[in-house]
Amino acid sequence: MTIAPDNAQQGASHLYRAMRDVTQSMDDTLPGKFEITKEGIVHDMMSPGGPHEVTAAHISRRLEKLLPDELLAHNGTPDVEDEPEGIMRHPDVMVIAWTDLGTEGSIDPRTLIAAIEVVSRSNPDNDWVSKARDYPLMGIPVYAVFDPRTGTGAVLTDIHATPDGPRYATRKDFVYGEDVTIGDWTISTRDLPRYESRTGEQQ
């Protein structure tokens, strides 16, 4: 017996692929980062360099010193994609096995050990709200957020079922200067940069 696909699901899949084509075409022409969420396309206007990239580089390097040889803390391309959920994200840093990174195309989110985001000044809700919802839907077991605006962050773990879908059950907040545990590894948050206000004062 052949079962025809549900029209609504088929339409959602076509819409997602259309949005993915749009984001890939804009990635080469416009600054910032384009991602796809349940609500549609998100454009995060990150400034090149500065505290955002420096923070991601520090986190990656500090984790790399602790990770076993088969793992890395990667802060490059490609995207992490869950087409059935209609989500495509690009973590600032992802802890992943070399073998899982070496695939063609987008990365399967369920191969990630942890996703790490540095909150952007232009769209903080994308990291604190949208990704805290999307990452458990994608099956990413650990999500760490670093916020240069406030010098604080949080690590979210323990995916569990809720009426609204999978969500993280545990949140551990930290302030810059404390040690933070991401998965099985504990790193320092000392000397991470902060965003500066227009007057030159840290915010």
Side-chain angles (χ1 to χ4, degrees):
M1 181 177 67
T2 302
I3 300 175
D6 176 79
N7 288 336
Q9 186 176 17
Q10 192 175 37
S13 179
H14 287 315
L15 177 60
Y16 172 75
R17 286 196 292 272
M19 288 192 294
R20 182 176 60 183
D21 291 343
V22 169
T23 60
Q24 289 173 344
S25 66
M26 291 189 297
D27 269 339
D28 297 328
T29 58
L30 295 173
K33 180 168 65 174
F34 292 90
E35 298 175 300
I36 302 172
T37 77
K38 288 293 189 182
E39 285 76 37
I41 296 173
V42 172
H43 182 205
D44 198 348
M45 281 294 296
M46 301 177 303
S47 300
H52 187 280
E53 277 69 25
V54 171
T55 300
H58 273 302
I59 294 166
S60 176
R61 175 166 289 189
R62 292 173 191 186
L63 281 169
E64 289 276 0
K65 292 178 180 178
L66 303 175
L67 295 175
D69 291 342
E70 64 269 20
L71 302 180
L72 75 157
H74 181 61
N75 59 350
T77 56
D79 294 309
V80 174
E81 182 177 26
D82 189 335
E83 186 167 347
E85 289 288 350
I87 302 171
M88 184 178 70
R89 290 298 199 170
H90 188 108
D92 291 316
V93 181
M94 60 183 105
V95 180
I96 190 171
W98 283 96
T99 53
D100 292 322
L101 181 64
T103 59
E104 295 290 336
S106 300
I107 294 173
D108 179 353
R110 286 162 181 80
T111 65
L112 267 64
I113 298 167
I116 300 158
E117 298 288 0
V118 181
V119 175
S120 71
R121 194 202 305 258
S122 65
N123 189 4
D125 283 352
N126 185 36
D127 300 300
W128 278 116
V129 179
S130 297
K131 290 178 183 177
R133 178 205 60 219
D134 286 353
Y135 284 161
L137 284 173
M138 299 170 82
I140 298 172
V142 178
Y143 174 36
V145 190
F146 289 75
D147 195 337
R149 300 173 309 148
T150 58
T152 64
V155 179
L156 291 79
T157 57
D158 301 324
I159 297 173
H160 72 130
T162 77
D164 297 320
R167 294 291 187 268
Y168 293 115
T170 303
R171 170 174 167 158
K172 295 184 178 179
D173 293 281
F174 62 87
V175 298
Y176 281 18
E178 296 179 334
D179 290 347
V180 59
T181 299
I182 302 171
D184 295 329
W185 307 279
T186 300
I187 62 171
S188 171
T189 63
R190 290 176 59 85
D191 303 321
L192 293 179
R194 298 273 302 275
Y195 294 138
E196 294 186 352
S197 68
R198 296 172 186 266
T199 60
E201 296 178 355
Q202 287 189 329
Q203 58 178 27

